[in-house]
Amino acid sequence: MLQRLIRHHFIDLEPYEPIVPLEVLSQRVGVPVEQLIKLDGNENPYGCSPRVSRALADYRLYHIYPDPLHRELREALEGYVGIGRDHIVVGAGSDELIDLVLRLCLEPGDKVINCPPTFGMYPFSTGVCGGVVISVPRNAKYEIDVSAMKSAIDQQAKVIFLASPNNPTGNIVAEKDVLKLLGTGILVVIDEAYYEFSGVTLAPLALQFPNLIVLRSFSKWAGLAGLRIGYGIFPKEIAELIYKMKPPYNVNIAAQVAVKESLADIDYLRERIKAIISERERLFSKLGKLGFIEPYPSQANFILCHVLDGQALQIKQGLGKKGIFVRYFDAPFLKNMLRISVGKPEHTDALIEALRDISR
Ligand SMILES: *Cc1c(COP(=O)(O)O)cnc(C)c1O
């Protein structure tokens, strides 16, 4: 009966592999939540700005619906990004913007070019929107294959997704490659969720090219993952269309307050970013010295690690028993790999000690 009512493409949809909540991890290993070392979600180990917590406690208008056009937010973001507010679209995380772009562009059966290994939301949202994922794998150095991507483009190809820095490999995409892809005329979405850690952006190109979208997020650098807030720099025409078709109250008022306050406390947050970047370099060097792990250089707040001697899954499980959580991959192109988020210095020390212990 339901089969007749439900859209066919949902029946065999591959679900997104979600994170395991802190409370569940805590119960599983019998370590209190405050003592867990969570290095599996690329979250900010320092949390949000303390000014955000205060502003949220002091806010008095939670009973009023938020502004559907995000006027104040887009004005504040115009200052931060340096690009006019007509080009800016705000969403409930950049995840929502990925979904909105695909809902806007895909007719059933239309194609999306994806370059694995990369962020799982691109194929997931493509499936949800009734599209077809065309996979064009990266090479051994995790660089994209522009000529293979161009050959994969036909009349039904609508969108290319590229994360830069890429999750989970940590490398950025070359501007010259993006320019070649822009020349194909299909939409190119550059996902800069980790921009604040790389300092490299293609956002200014969104003013020149009618088919470039740059996505950003407050989840990682500003420590607001739980509030769900991201934004994108769009060609004006596409920004207008998204404001027409998106759910009106997509960004809740707490998230809007948190963003305005984060931008007002930017110097504090920039110090945190610097601390995470220098910890990344310290973690990289310590991992390399262990002898059984090859870390990949990263421009983000995580490090992809190839386990050279031993089983990555066993290492992940061994760390888990000690209350340290990292991400394990078993996908093609990610065999025997772990992704470790950069934490505080004491997290690095605990992790390295645990890894030494496990390898003995
Ligand atoms: C974490 C991450 C995001 C963030 O998404 P939000 O919905 O803003 O939390 C987006 N893209 C990539 C590649 C990521 O790793």
Side-chain angles (χ1 to χ4, degrees), residues 123-293:
F124 171 72
S125 291
T126 300
V128 168
C129 293
V132 174
V133 179
I134 303 297
S135 279
V136 184
R138 290 159 184 262
N139 68 18
K141 289 157 90 181
Y142 297 128
E143 294 155 343
I144 57 168
D145 183 344
V146 177
S147 58
M149 291 170 79
K150 285 170 83 169
S151 334
I153 293 172
D154 62 13
Q155 280 302 316
Q156 277 200 296
K158 296 284 186 70
V159 186
I160 296 171
F161 281 103
L162 289 171
S164 182
N166 186 40
N167 178 6
T169 59
N171 57 324
I172 59 169
V173 65
E175 179 168 343
K176 66 172 182 6
D177 287 347
V178 175
L179 290 172
K180 285 183 208 155
L181 293 167
L182 284 167
T184 65
I186 76 169
L187 261 190
V188 179
V189 179
I190 304 296
D191 180 346
E192 296 185 353
Y194 301 96
Y195 154 66
E196 281 76 5
F197 302 104
S198 73
V200 181
T201 182
L202 296 177
L205 292 180
L207 301 180
Q208 284 172 50
F209 291 91
N211 57 331
L212 175 64
I213 294 170
V214 174
L215 300 182
R216 300 267 188 86
S217 173
F218 280 82
S219 294
K220 315 294 167 40
W221 70 279
L224 298 180
L227 281 181
R228 314 302 308 123
I229 184 129
Y231 64 99
I233 299 123
F234 286 69
K236 258 187 217 172
E237 289 80 5
I238 302 181
E240 277 168 24
L241 283 169
I242 295 212
Y243 272 99
K244 247 188 346 193
M245 52 74 82
K246 78 171 179 63
Y249 306 114
N250 60 327
V251 178
N252 71 72
I253 197 70
Q256 300 201 28
V257 169
V259 163
K260 279 186 281 175
E261 206 59 26
S262 297
L263 293 175
D265 200 16
I266 193 94
D267 292 339
Y268 172 91
L269 289 169
R270 288 212 166 106
E271 286 305 310
R272 295 306 196 204
I273 295 167
K274 272 197 220 153
I276 292 168
I277 293 172
S278 68
E279 192 55 26
R280 175 182 76 203
E281 300 314 313
R282 197 173 79 93
L283 173 63
F284 182 86
S285 124
K286 287 194 171 270
L287 287 167
K289 284 183 191 141
L290 288 172
F292 62 100
I293 280 177

Side-chain angles (χ1 to χ4, degrees), residues 7-8 10 17 84 101 164 166 228 297:
R7 295 174 72 191
H8 282 175
F10 281 115
E17 192 186 314
V101 166
S164 182
N166 186 40
R228 314 302 308 123

